[in-house]
Amino acid sequence: MARIVAGVATSHIPAIGAALDNGRTAEPYWKPVFAGYEFSKQWIADLAPDVIIEIYNDHASAFSLDIIPTFAIGCAAEFPIADEGWGPRKVPPVTGHPELAWHIAQSTILDEFDMTIANEMPVDHGLTVPLSITCGQPPQWPFPVIPLCVNVVQYPPPTGARCFKLGQAIARAVATFDQDLRVVIYGTGGMSHQLQGERAGLINRDFDKAFLDGMTKDPLALTRITHTEYMREAGSEGVEMVMWHIMRGALDADAAEVYRHYHVPASNTAAGLMIMENRRAT
Ligand code: DHB
Ligand code: FE
């Protein structure tokens, strides 16, 4: 049987990818950001998962504003790197896991989540930057990745509570897959940031710290944060944090925090990373 052994939540700031791609990680601005990612690289290399489910949001790269699925799962064998306006990042294409992806699609849809099935989907910084953060710059990504895309760019995004329940449904799906796979789930986005309007540049350390603490203290309470509260407290793009709840919902209630990193600012954003493990996981 497949099982989820751990979760990673992390920001997906595009400038982090650019700093890596352009060899600038040792510069004073970037050094403390990347120093905090070293642990995660060793941790995931040691864990050597068989497959990753990566929750992220598309930034109008695969889906324009013509079609905006609330939840879309990538069932393809390979996902090309999106061109976000300055050419695709020079990172390896992402290998999928069609068998597990189709199983999750079937299981979650029959479990009453109306998932869109994507058989072709270029993946943007939302997906590639978390891979770069945790894997560095390998010639090929060390594991297959199932992209699961969430709408947080056009109102109304799903609620945190709905996202948490989707995470629980994903865990049920994985548990009924008949191959012996160790799965890690990534939830990306956030933390506090606002890229537009009068409050552009907003960062709220207190909100972010309470959110990180809440992932273990009371994750259900966190799911009750409304969109308006995210907007007010964490900025308009802070609403990306609803995706962390999918990761958290997919883990056991008593999952343990293994590591966190928080740094302000990286680009316009508070960069956060949290690693959690299921206690029963082996
Ligand atoms: C930035 C952060 C994001 O999450 C994003 O999608 C785009 C830009 C930023 O900090 O610049
Ligand atoms: Fe983003």
Side-chain angles (χ1 to χ4, degrees):
M1 285 300 153
R3 62 205 182 283
I4 295 181
V5 295
V8 177
T10 176
S11 309
H12 60 219
I13 304 161
I16 289 177
L20 257 170
D21 299 347
N22 296 304
R24 298 176 65 166
T25 57
E27 291 179 6
Y29 181 89
W30 288 111
K31 216 174 165 174
V33 181
F34 284 95
Y37 294 144
E38 283 306 312
F39 177 92
S40 64
K41 283 161 60 178
Q42 192 58 51
W43 174 84
I44 198 89
D46 291 346
L47 192 65
D50 298 303
V51 53
I52 301 289
I53 300 168
E54 188 169 342
I55 316 299
Y56 77 109
N57 72 287
D58 178 70
H59 300 74
S61 304
F63 304 109
S64 70
L65 293 183
D66 292 342
I67 298 178
I68 307 169
T70 302
F71 299 118
I73 185 163
C75 294
E78 189 168 293
F79 302 92
I81 306 303
D83 182 349
E84 298 183 60
W86 45 90
R89 283 189 69 206
K90 291 189 176 43
V91 295
V94 172
T95 300
H97 196 300
E99 267 183 289
L100 179 58
W102 274 104
H103 174 79
I104 293 171
Q106 172 178 303
S107 177
T108 52
I109 291 167
L110 297 183
D111 213 354
E112 302 180 354
F113 284 85
D114 305 317
M115 190 71 71
T116 296
I117 292 162
N119 289 317
E120 231 176 87
M121 186 163 71
V123 289
D124 71 12
H125 70 268
L127 184 118
T128 63
V129 166
L131 291 181
S132 298
I133 283 172
T134 50
C135 305
Q137 296 168 294
Q140 263 153 23
W141 300 118
F143 25 63
V145 178
I146 297 174
L148 199 157
C149 202
V150 179
N151 166 40
V152 292
V153 298
Q154 170 67 62
Y155 188 84
T159 63
R162 183 70 177 152
C163 286
F164 190 90
K165 287 178 191 155
L166 175 59
Q168 292 175 313
I170 291 170
R172 286 193 289 274
V174 169
T176 54
F177 189 63
D178 63 3
Q179 290 178 28
D180 191 21
L181 300 177
R182 288 158 61 251
V183 180
V184 171
I185 183 161
Y186 282 29
T188 82
M191 299 189 82
S192 56
H193 64 305
Q194 171 144 347
L195 304 176
Q196 54 177 324
E198 281 177 23
R199 298 202 310 160
L202 176 141
I203 283 176
N204 185 344
R205 291 169 201 257
D206 292 341
F207 180 86
D208 290 339
K209 165 99 179 25
F211 194 89
L212 288 166
D213 292 344
M215 294 299 277
T216 46
K217 266 194 204 146
D218 195 350
L220 277 174
L222 287 189
T223 69
R224 291 191 282 273
I225 299 171
T226 63
H227 293 141
T228 313
E229 278 172 273
Y230 280 114
M231 296 272 286
R232 191 191 307 123
E233 299 296 331
S236 50
E237 279 67 45
V239 79
E240 288 182 346
M241 287 155 87
V242 294
M243 292 181 287
W244 289 42
H245 297 309
I246 301 179
M247 177 289 267
R248 186 64 190 88
L251 296 180
D252 295 345
D254 65 348
E257 176 177 344
V258 173
Y259 180 75
R260 76 165 73 174
H261 171 49
Y262 183 76
H263 180 85
V264 171
S267 187
N268 305 293
T269 306
L273 169 84
M274 178 166 275
I275 296 177
M276 301 185 72
E277 285 178 6
N278 278 344
R279 294 174 196 266
R280 291 183 290 113
T282 49

